[in-house]
Amino acid sequence: MSQNINLAELMKPIKKPSLSMLFLKYKNEEPNNESHLGGYPYFTNEDKWPTCSECKKEMVFFMQLREVTSDGNVVLRTYYHCPCELENFIPIINTIEYQNPSMEHCVKTQTGTKTLPFVEIKYEPSWSIPNWALLPLYNKEMHDQILLMHNENNEQAEDYYESLRWNENYLATEPYSLISGYPEFISDPKVFKCQCCKKPTEFIFQLDTDEEFQISWNSGVLYCFRCPNTKTLYFTIN
């Protein structure tokens, strides 16, 4: 019992709030400035529809996410991708960012080659805790203590740790779609570093494949990371 209490205390500092994405599909042919998949993006007369840097074709709008910053401002980011990315699992994604977007500046535009079905995004708050493979990066003491408890048997230690994550109201048992917290990798968990400043990036979101919504990453998951210094976005498919 004392070991469980001690481990629970060690887990507290690494718990992060997270938002699970919940999806509601219905017909909507008008743009808005809220979070959603598919449909029509928030777009202004000053914008130019993104084109792929590789095949030069117009990209497909697949998502926009609305974020309220700590100072009360609203940031809306729209995401576009090109299907040619799926040949090598390297996502080709462009974004357009808007500060405090107003609907009076929005125009209904869809010049891409494909329009995905509109899906409203709702959020469910939950706690996020790093998986076993990432734990040494965030709390090596806890990782080593659990290994010691199980006589250095990594498989048993991982099973025990996963049970702790469940007890801490951890909701995911496999990769799914979420914002903030820690990423849930299908395989080969890693921490990405900014190519400019070489510092670790922060996890922004992951979006799972969903054939019903015509969102496909070769049956994998799309991950987005951001450098806290340069604000550069990085994407990968796992």
Side-chain angles (χ1 to χ4, degrees), residues 5 14-15 48 59 64 150 153 196:
I5 294 175
I14 61 175
K15 289 172 61 175
K48 183 179 180 180
M59 305 181 80
Q64 67 183 41
H150 295 86
N153 186 312
C196 298

Side-chain angles (χ1 to χ4, degrees), residues 148-161:
L148 184 62
M149 287 170 54
H150 295 86
N151 299 316
E152 305 298 322
N153 186 312
N154 189 74
E155 183 176 349
Q156 292 181 6
E158 181 176 1
D159 289 343
Y160 175 78
Y161 178 70

Side-chain angles (χ1 to χ4, degrees), residues 158-187:
E158 181 176 1
D159 289 343
Y160 175 78
Y161 178 70
E162 290 303 317
S163 69
L164 288 179
R165 292 213 291 171
W166 269 97
N167 291 336
E168 291 296 320
N169 195 29
Y170 178 78
L171 300 180
T173 57
E174 58 184 35
Y176 66 123
S177 300
L178 60 87
I179 295 177
S180 69
Y182 297 96
E184 286 293 323
F185 288 99
I186 296 177
S187 61

Side-chain angles (χ1 to χ4, degrees), residues 222-235:
L222 174 71
Y223 299 82
C224 176
F225 298 83
R226 179 175 61 198
C227 174
N229 296 322
T230 66
K231 305 304 179 184
T232 303
L233 294 177
Y234 296 93
F235 299 91

Side-chain angles (χ1 to χ4, degrees), residues 1-215:
M1 179 65 71
S2 60
Q3 285 181 324
N4 286 337
I5 294 175
N6 186 25
L7 291 174
E9 290 299 317
L10 288 175
M11 188 174 285
K12 285 182 179 180
I14 61 175
K15 289 172 61 175
K16 290 183 179 181
S18 179
L19 295 173
S20 300
M21 293 189 198
L22 306 177
F23 302 115
L24 180 61
K25 181 182 177 182
Y26 56 87
K27 187 175 182 180
N28 179 32
E29 297 185 353
E30 296 298 326
N32 61 44
N33 56 4
E34 301 293 334
S35 298
H36 64 84
L37 304 176
Y40 291 84
Y42 183 92
F43 203 83
T44 73
N45 285 323
E46 298 179 356
D47 298 323
K48 183 179 180 180
W49 195 275
T51 56
C52 176
S53 59
E54 296 295 323
C55 69
K56 311 305 179 184
K57 295 180 180 179
E58 291 181 330
M59 305 181 80
V60 177
F61 166 71
F62 69 93
M63 182 174 69
Q64 67 183 41
L65 293 177
R66 176 187 176 97
E67 175 188 359
V68 180
T69 61
S70 58
D71 57 6
N73 288 309
V74 173
V75 176
L76 184 70
R77 189 174 289 109
T78 54
Y79 296 84
Y80 302 77
H81 80 103
C82 183
C84 72
E85 72 198 12
L86 299 179
E87 296 179 0
N88 54 13
F89 286 89
I90 300 177
I92 301 174
I93 294 178
N94 280 5
T95 64
I96 303 177
E97 183 175 303
Y98 305 91
Q99 301 288 332
N100 297 312
S102 171
M103 287 306 298
E104 64 179 295
H105 300 129
C106 181
V107 295
K108 184 177 180 178
T109 305
Q110 183 66 285
T111 60
T113 58
K114 182 179 181 181
T115 302
L116 305 184
F118 175 87
V119 183
E120 183 180 357
I121 299 177
K122 296 290 188 180
Y123 301 110
E124 180 179 6
S126 63
W127 287 111
S128 178
I129 300 169
N131 62 24
W132 177 249
L134 291 179
L135 181 60
L137 298 174
Y138 299 102
N139 194 325
K140 191 173 186 306
E141 179 185 357
M142 183 177 188
H143 179 271
D144 292 347
Q145 186 173 343
I146 294 176
L147 266 179
L148 184 62
M149 287 170 54
H150 295 86
N151 299 316
E152 305 298 322
N153 186 312
N154 189 74
E155 183 176 349
Q156 292 181 6
E158 181 176 1
D159 289 343
Y160 175 78
Y161 178 70
E162 290 303 317
S163 69
L164 288 179
R165 292 213 291 171
W166 269 97
N167 291 336
E168 291 296 320
N169 195 29
Y170 178 78
L171 300 180
T173 57
E174 58 184 35
Y176 66 123
S177 300
L178 60 87
I179 295 177
S180 69
Y182 297 96
E184 286 293 323
F185 288 99
I186 296 177
S187 61
D188 189 25
K190 62 186 70 176
V191 173
F192 290 85
K193 291 186 178 181
C194 176
Q195 297 176 2
C196 298
C197 67
K198 308 303 180 184
K199 293 186 177 180
T201 58
E202 58 184 359
F203 172 64
I204 302 301
F205 73 81
Q206 68 183 63
L207 183 63
D208 205 350
T209 290
D210 195 313
E211 299 298 338
E212 179 186 357
F213 306 148
Q214 300 179 33
I215 300 292

